Amino acid sequence: MTLHMIGCSHHDVAMEVRERLSFTSEQVQRLYETISRLHPSAESVLLSTCNRVELYAATSDRRDAESVMTTEELSNVVAGILGHDPATIRGHLTPRHDRAAVEHLFRVASSLDSLVVGEAQILSQVKQAYDLANLADATGPITHAVFQAANRAAKRVQTETSIHRRRLSVPSVAVGEIVPEVFETLRGKRVVLCGAGEMAEETLRYLKTGGADRICVLNRTRERGVALAKAFDTEVGTLDQLTERVVEADLLIGTTSSESPLIDANECKQLGQRRAGRLLLILDLAVPRDFDASIGDAPGVYLYQIDDLRAACDRNRREREKQLPKAHRIIEEEVLAFEASLQQRATGPVIAQLRQRADRVKQQELERLLGKLNGSQDAAITQEIQKSFDRLTNKLLHPPMASLRDDAADGHSRGLLEALRHLFNLGEDS
């Protein structure tokens, strides 16, 4: 196997550089076509997200391995497709080869290399990149094997550690951990979201994912609120309508960072009378706070403020860090298992053909000997002769087979696979 990766991520280059290296759908197709035209035996998969751009390229043709998928050539192809100077592009792309490339892909798919470790989106992005490469007929046996193995590694990290279950952002903790403690479901619940900035947008994503279907966005300026409401298919209004909306609300969320509270204790008391004691969950995600802290003392009101949620985020972050060594062990195990499967795939056919060749020779010589004896020996002697031939064959085959397996474990560094093919005339298709 020869597997190369060139790429960059949030770890080593700034956003403006990654933006220059991002691919459009049309450019991705041109990339695959260019690689296929230059080297028909090559396989490739491009992973392009907002935080990373990585091109994985492989070949199973050993005679082509040294000249086809060089880092320089891959960099030149990328630069040509994007219209940049190859020398400049090369300076931003980190190369990885064979085991290092495999291990890196497994870490990426498992979200151990993400900006936010444990985020779930990257695995679906890796799958999508692989599927698009399949549709473009750019993949092959090596990329099939390595991306399927990466998916298995990611699934193990998800199921055997709690990394993906520990939320780290304030909105994800608020909606994913606090809300379920109060409501069995968000479906049918009246949700009032105050604000239309980045915090509100992220909160809306989690609300929609959590099943909320009756959301109203209230913002000081209607234009921004309308834009956000349209993107998420919600109702929209202005903060002047807050009092009336709260009367019917089950969940109230603040993200505006207003200089003065949107609702104070007196207003809350008056609203409580109009709400007739119905439960109200308030999530104050704003700094400064959107709601007077004392309203949490009102009957039927559950108030969680930003400090409560940040404390939960910090606890989750510490718990994730405790899980990292286990996740890294899983990656190491999966890399070793993948390498073993490739070695078996390479050596298995050669060992089988070598065994078949030896068995044919053994059987021919055994039949010739027994024919010359012309049945003069009894059955016990005939059986012992057969056993002796078997033992002789096994003893003769054991050294080359053991050496071949050892060489495979070292990545076929000594070239015994090709030597055995040549010495025993086993054929190039083995």
Side-chain angles (χ1 to χ4, degrees), residues 256-303:
T256 72
S257 303
S258 174
E259 292 182 1
S260 58
L262 301 179
I263 297 178
D264 60 26
N266 289 331
E267 290 172 315
C268 183
K269 183 177 181 179
Q270 295 172 5
L271 289 171
Q273 294 172 350
R274 296 178 60 186
R275 289 176 54 83
R278 288 177 44 248
L279 183 149
L280 176 63
L281 173 61
I282 302 178
L283 302 175
D284 194 344
L285 314 186
V287 180
R289 293 172 293 186
D290 275 346
F291 306 110
D292 191 325
S294 63
I295 69 177
D297 299 328
V301 175
Y302 294 85
L303 172 64

Side-chain angles (χ1 to χ4, degrees), residues 325-339:
K326 184 176 182 180
H328 293 154
R329 287 195 297 272
I330 291 172
I331 297 300
E332 178 65 19
E333 291 170 4
E334 289 298 318
V335 169
L336 291 174
F338 174 72
E339 290 179 330

Side-chain angles (χ1 to χ4, degrees), residues 87-128:
T88 302
I89 291 297
R90 202 173 300 124
H92 294 302
L93 299 176
T94 300
R96 292 179 174 87
H97 309 290
D98 297 330
R99 181 190 173 96
V102 171
E103 183 175 1
H104 178 75
L105 176 60
F106 286 14
R107 287 176 54 83
V108 168
S110 302
S111 188
L112 301 182
D113 196 65
S114 297
L115 183 62
V116 178
V117 174
E119 58 93 6
Q121 188 179 15
I122 185 62
L123 179 57
S124 63
Q125 292 172 330
V126 170
K127 288 181 179 178
Q128 184 179 28

Side-chain angles (χ1 to χ4, degrees), residues 101-408:
V102 171
E103 183 175 1
H104 178 75
L105 176 60
F106 286 14
R107 287 176 54 83
V108 168
S110 302
S111 188
L112 301 182
D113 196 65
S114 297
L115 183 62
V116 178
V117 174
E119 58 93 6
Q121 188 179 15
I122 185 62
L123 179 57
S124 63
Q125 292 172 330
V126 170
K127 288 181 179 178
Q128 184 179 28
Y130 171 61
D131 290 340
L132 289 175
N134 274 332
L135 290 175
D137 199 26
T139 55
I142 300 301
T143 43
H144 285 320
V146 73
F147 274 83
Q148 289 166 4
N151 183 61
R152 288 193 299 272
K155 291 296 186 183
R156 281 195 62 193
V157 171
Q158 285 182 353
T159 57
E160 297 178 29
T161 75
S162 61
I163 285 177
H164 293 76
R165 296 188 289 276
R166 300 288 181 176
R167 298 173 175 88
L168 297 186
S169 72
V170 168
S172 66
V173 169
V175 178
E177 297 186 13
I178 303 301
V179 169
E181 293 180 3
V182 180
F183 301 119
E184 290 185 3
T185 178
L186 279 173
R187 197 168 302 280
K189 295 292 186 292
R190 296 177 178 86
V191 181
V192 176
L193 175 64
C194 302
E198 291 182 4
M199 182 75 78
E201 183 174 348
E202 183 181 356
T203 303
L204 268 174
R205 289 197 185 95
Y206 289 111
L207 287 170
K208 283 290 189 177
T209 301
D213 53 2
R214 301 184 66 182
I215 305 172
C216 179
V217 175
L218 302 181
N219 196 47
R220 203 169 302 280
T221 59
R222 185 174 177 83
E223 291 76 16
R224 171 59 183 163
V226 168
L228 191 61
K230 184 178 180 180
F232 288 89
D233 190 25
T234 71
E235 296 180 48
V236 64
T238 62
L239 286 174
D240 296 336
Q241 305 166 359
L242 177 59
T243 300
E244 294 304 316
R245 291 288 184 174
V246 171
V247 171
E248 300 297 326
D250 299 295
L251 172 60
L252 174 62
I253 304 173
T255 68
T256 72
S257 303
S258 174
E259 292 182 1
S260 58
L262 301 179
I263 297 178
D264 60 26
N266 289 331
E267 290 172 315
C268 183
K269 183 177 181 179
Q270 295 172 5
L271 289 171
Q273 294 172 350
R274 296 178 60 186
R275 289 176 54 83
R278 288 177 44 248
L279 183 149
L280 176 63
L281 173 61
I282 302 178
L283 302 175
D284 194 344
L285 314 186
V287 180
R289 293 172 293 186
D290 275 346
F291 306 110
D292 191 325
S294 63
I295 69 177
D297 299 328
V301 175
Y302 294 85
L303 172 64
Y304 288 85
Q305 296 181 305
I306 189 70
D307 288 344
D308 304 319
L309 300 168
R310 282 177 173 170
C313 291
D314 291 339
R315 287 196 302 271
N316 288 349
R317 185 173 289 106
R318 289 193 294 270
E319 289 301 316
R320 277 195 180 187
E321 290 172 354
K322 291 179 183 178
Q323 293 289 305
L324 284 177
K326 184 176 182 180
H328 293 154
R329 287 195 297 272
I330 291 172
I331 297 300
E332 178 65 19
E333 291 170 4
E334 289 298 318
V335 169
L336 291 174
F338 174 72
E339 290 179 330
S341 70
L342 287 184
Q343 293 158 8
Q344 177 62 35
R345 188 178 304 175
T347 60
V350 173
I351 289 177
Q353 285 200 5
L354 187 58
R355 167 67 68 179
Q356 291 169 3
R357 176 68 59 84
D359 284 343
R360 283 199 301 270
V361 174
K362 175 196 70 177
Q363 193 61 34
Q364 291 169 358
E365 291 303 311
L366 181 60
E367 291 174 357
R368 187 179 69 83
L369 174 60
L370 294 179
K372 285 188 174 184
L373 294 176
N374 198 24
S376 59
Q377 77 287 353
D378 60 28
I381 294 177
T382 299
Q383 188 176 21
E384 189 59 37
I385 292 174
Q386 291 174 334
K387 289 181 178 178
S388 295
F389 270 68
D390 288 338
R391 285 194 296 270
L392 177 62
T393 303
N394 289 336
K395 288 180 178 179
L396 288 173
L397 288 178
H398 178 73
M401 286 183 173
S403 295
L404 182 58
R405 292 190 181 98
D406 291 342
D407 187 40

